[in-house]
Amino acid sequence: MSAGGRRGSSSHEDHGRGSPARRGGERAERSHGRGTPRAENPREGTPPGGSRAESSPQGAARGSGRGKSGREGARGGARTGGDQADRRKSFSRSAPSERRRTADPARLAAFDVLREVDGSDAYANLVLPPMLRARKIAGRDAAFATELAYGTLRLRGRYDAVLEQCSQRPLGEIDAAVLDILRLGCHQLLGMRVAPHAAVSETVGLARLRTGAGSGQFVNAVLRRVSERPLEEWLDLVAAAADPAGDAEEERLAVVASHPAWVVRALRGALVANGRDPAELGALLEADNTAPRVTLVARPGLAAADDVPERATPGAWAPTAFTIEGGDPGSLRSVREGRVGVQDEGSQLVALALAAAPLDGPDEAWLDLCAGPGGKAALLGAIAAQRGARLVANEVAEHRARLVRRAVEAVPGGVVEVRHGDGRDVGQHEPGAYDRVLVDAPCTGLGALRRRPESRWRRRPSDLAGLGPLQRELLGSALDAVRPGGVVAYVTCSPHVAETHLVVEDVVRGRTDVEIVDVRDVVREVVAGVREEREVGAGSSEGREVVAEAGGEREVDAG
């Protein structure tokens, strides 16, 4: 990111996939019919959502029962072993009218999250945590609810393909609430280590409680069919159905890896555009379906060594990053007081890259053009405080500007100024006023699908047409706002070529005062410095503190 031209240099980084995928932590054994969650991050929640009931085991007629908000606490039976035939024999033979209308709190919370996501366009990671706290669901129950909700959302496309093979009715004709219950049952059977009889029994109880006895019969019949095959057989079947001729890889991957086909094509294009092997596509899609770990940012100059939990593991790329296996990070005092934050490592890394970029001339005025919700602004503000610089954090939405103010509360006074305004106007009103500018542009978010699993099902190719002009205007404003010799970092949470390479190329093509600089050189320098410092301080609390301070002298992007 060297300086160049009259205005400065524009660096472009796709931080949605900035670090390799990580598997979740070790699975904790579960009792009372829950099995083992594949995730360790209890960070989501929601209000109840009843709906019309489904009736008939064959799924041929619509019922009239209404969901009831009722008791919580029924638990599944003990886990069983044995082969597939034994597992099929273990299901209850009692008549549907004799079965209970109950659901345990974890499954009920997961269902309510799915209904809120579907009915209110909510984000699971914003709905589930307050729900878990309000319902006093904690520990293993919270981890189970989190994996059940998140995993079901991530793998919805795969499970819908399985359900199409097991239901005699098109999925579009199934009541939305009942379909969500079926998806939850599929995830327990095919994606979690829950005993089959418990997965079916508890899911039927949930259906009877929320959508009526008739839907319970339908759910029981369909899930028993699902339970007749292991995941590997179902994947072969749905892959063959999607690609019968064996020549439609993207359609096959879309079903097996649970991504819309257009997203699969976009990610393949991103790999090619960045010089990567298209054969990595399968691993990339699988990474999206891996439960993310909780990543913390130790804000330089604010966080002390004991502000990061002892159980935390240093990140692989950013000197400010630490990961924890699970739990509620909001329970940490350092997080509540803003010295430590929750922020993905790739997001931290791009801010660090902006702060580390070589610069000609003064380095006193920084700008975060699209600052909400404030993670990157807080990290940049902490670094700016150490360097004697000031940061303007601009945000167009007032409610997001309030989030930015909250995020930067721990930064020393007078360092960060939060403004409410349109970033497209800043370049015109303050031409050449800033030394470093971050443009974290609104985008489709296709690089953050692990964190927001519902996004893959909401986004459409048509969204690109609306976002493209905005992204270009924001980058143009940033280039006007930076002084000659300054630097601009253009950042997205999407690797889509239309939101990254094409935006930068189009904007720069119409200017003579900009030099494009490859950000990878700066990122490599940041990462190399992290590894050198950790080799010096490995194994001691002093080493942890050195790492946190070193990040402040470099640069950081929180996202």
Side-chain angles (χ1 to χ4, degrees):
M1 289 181 169
S2 61
R6 181 178 63 81
R7 288 295 174 195
S9 46
S10 170
S11 66
H12 156 224
E13 173 69 19
D14 306 337
H15 66 78
R17 299 184 293 111
S19 58
R22 294 190 182 202
R23 288 276 173 194
E26 292 299 316
R27 303 177 180 127
E29 290 298 323
R30 295 194 57 81
S31 59
H32 54 69
R34 293 278 180 76
T36 301
R38 293 190 187 276
E40 64 290 334
N41 177 14
R43 304 181 53 223
E44 309 88 40
T46 149
S51 177
R52 293 170 301 189
E54 295 292 332
S55 64
S56 167
Q58 302 303 320
R62 202 179 277 278
S64 59
R66 277 284 176 184
K68 296 167 62 178
S69 61
R71 298 161 297 170
E72 298 177 353
R75 308 274 175 130
R79 295 178 58 182
T80 61
D83 58 21
Q84 196 69 32
D86 293 336
R87 296 164 69 200
R88 289 197 297 272
K89 291 176 184 177
S90 67
F91 296 121
S92 171
R93 304 273 183 193
S94 60
S97 60
E98 299 173 1
R99 297 176 193 148
R100 55 192 173 84
R101 297 171 177 260
T102 58
D104 66 273
R107 287 181 173 89
L108 190 60
F111 170 74
D112 288 342
V113 168
L114 264 60
R115 298 310 307 137
E116 187 76 3
V117 166
D118 180 64
S120 303
D121 283 340
Y123 288 103
N125 69 320
L126 300 180
V127 172
L128 185 55
M131 177 184 292
L132 295 176
R133 289 191 291 270
R135 300 184 184 186
K136 295 181 171 34
I137 301 173
R140 289 183 173 184
D141 287 345
F144 184 89
T146 299
E147 170 55 19
L148 183 54
Y150 272 27
T152 301
L153 287 168
R154 288 189 194 99
L155 297 172
R156 192 185 88 176
R158 174 189 293 177
Y159 296 147
D160 282 0
V162 172
L163 290 170
E164 284 177 348
Q165 305 256 347
C166 297
S167 172
Q168 296 182 1
R169 183 190 309 180
L171 298 191
E173 296 181 9
I174 299 175
D175 184 85
V178 174
L179 184 56
D180 275 344
I181 290 173
L182 288 170
R183 291 163 175 161
L184 290 169
C186 276
H187 190 54
Q188 293 170 71
L189 288 167
L190 303 178
M192 300 175 72
R193 296 197 303 177
V194 178
H197 74 277
V200 174
S201 171
E202 291 298 311
T203 306
V204 169
L206 173 63
R208 290 172 59 80
L209 176 67
R210 281 297 198 221
T211 55
S215 67
Q217 296 177 12
F218 176 56
V219 168
N220 180 63
V222 173
L223 291 184
R224 289 184 67 173
R225 294 189 193 108
V226 174
S227 71
E228 291 172 356
R229 300 177 187 272
L231 174 63
E232 293 71 20
E233 289 187 21
W234 278 122
L235 292 181
D236 289 341
L237 283 172
V238 298
D243 181 18
D247 58 359
E249 182 190 16
E250 290 171 355
E251 283 69 19
R252 183 176 71 255
L253 285 173
V255 171
V256 171
S258 195
H259 286 67
W262 78 272
V263 174
V264 175
R265 289 189 289 271
L267 294 178
R268 179 190 292 278
L271 287 171
V272 173
N274 287 281
R276 303 295 291 267
D277 186 349
E280 296 180 62
L281 180 60
L284 174 56
L285 298 173
E286 181 61 29
D288 276 345
N289 293 330
T290 302
R293 303 178 72 183
V294 179
T295 304
L296 303 178
V297 53
R299 290 168 179 151
L302 304 179
D306 58 1
D307 282 334
V308 177
E310 284 297 326
R311 68 183 188 276
T313 302
W317 312 101
T320 49
F322 294 86
T323 61
I324 56 177
E325 292 298 327
D328 181 4
S331 66
L332 300 174
R333 181 177 178 181
S334 57
V335 172
R336 295 195 302 271
E337 295 179 353
R339 299 187 301 278
V340 173
V342 178
Q343 184 172 24
D344 277 348
E345 192 167 8
S347 173
Q348 297 179 44
L349 191 58
V350 293
L352 291 169
L354 171 63
L359 196 67
D360 292 337
D363 191 10
E364 301 169 352
W366 299 2
L367 170 65
D368 186 348
L369 195 64
C370 310
K376 293 179 178 67
L379 186 51
L380 287 172
I383 298 169
Q386 290 187 317
R387 296 191 188 176
R390 295 184 70 252
L391 172 70
V392 171
N394 180 79
E395 172 55 46
V396 67
E398 177 57 40
H399 72 281
R400 287 170 64 88
R402 288 195 294 270
L403 295 176
V404 177
R405 293 186 185 97
R406 191 179 311 158
V408 302
E409 283 179 348
V411 178
V415 173
V416 180
E417 176 189 354
V418 179
R419 294 181 185 174
H420 173 216
D422 193 329
R424 292 173 292 185
D425 299 332
V426 174
Q428 178 182 354
H429 296 158
E430 298 180 276
Y434 297 96
D435 306 307
R436 298 181 189 270
V437 180
L438 174 67
V439 186
D440 188 9
C443 65
T444 58
L446 298 185
L449 297 181
R450 276 194 294 174
R451 292 290 181 197
R452 291 192 167 177
E454 63 283 307
S455 292
R456 70 185 75 182
W457 311 118
R458 288 181 180 168
R459 285 297 186 183
R460 298 289 183 269
S462 57
D463 294 336
L464 296 166
L467 289 166
L470 174 61
Q471 292 160 348
R472 286 164 173 79
E473 289 181 72
L474 288 168
L475 179 54
S477 177
L479 291 171
D480 289 338
V482 76
R483 65 167 175 80
V487 61
V488 171
Y490 175 78
V491 176
T492 68
C493 290
S494 169
H496 200 298
V497 174
E499 301 185 88
T500 54
H501 293 270
L502 295 184
V503 170
V504 174
E505 291 167 4
D506 286 352
V507 173
V508 172
R509 186 181 299 117
R511 307 181 68 114
T512 60
D513 56 350
V514 177
E515 173 191 354
I516 297 180
V517 179
D518 192 339
V519 73
R520 288 174 292 188
D521 292 337
V522 182
V523 172
R524 290 189 189 104
E525 180 183 329
V526 173
V527 173
V530 173
R531 291 172 178 169
E532 289 174 7
E533 285 153 5
R534 286 181 179 160
E535 288 174 2
V536 172
S540 68
S541 60
E542 289 80 12
R544 289 167 58 121
E545 189 166 6
V546 167
V547 169
E549 292 300 323
E553 297 170 12
R554 222 179 307 278
E555 75 291 326
V556 183
D557 161 17

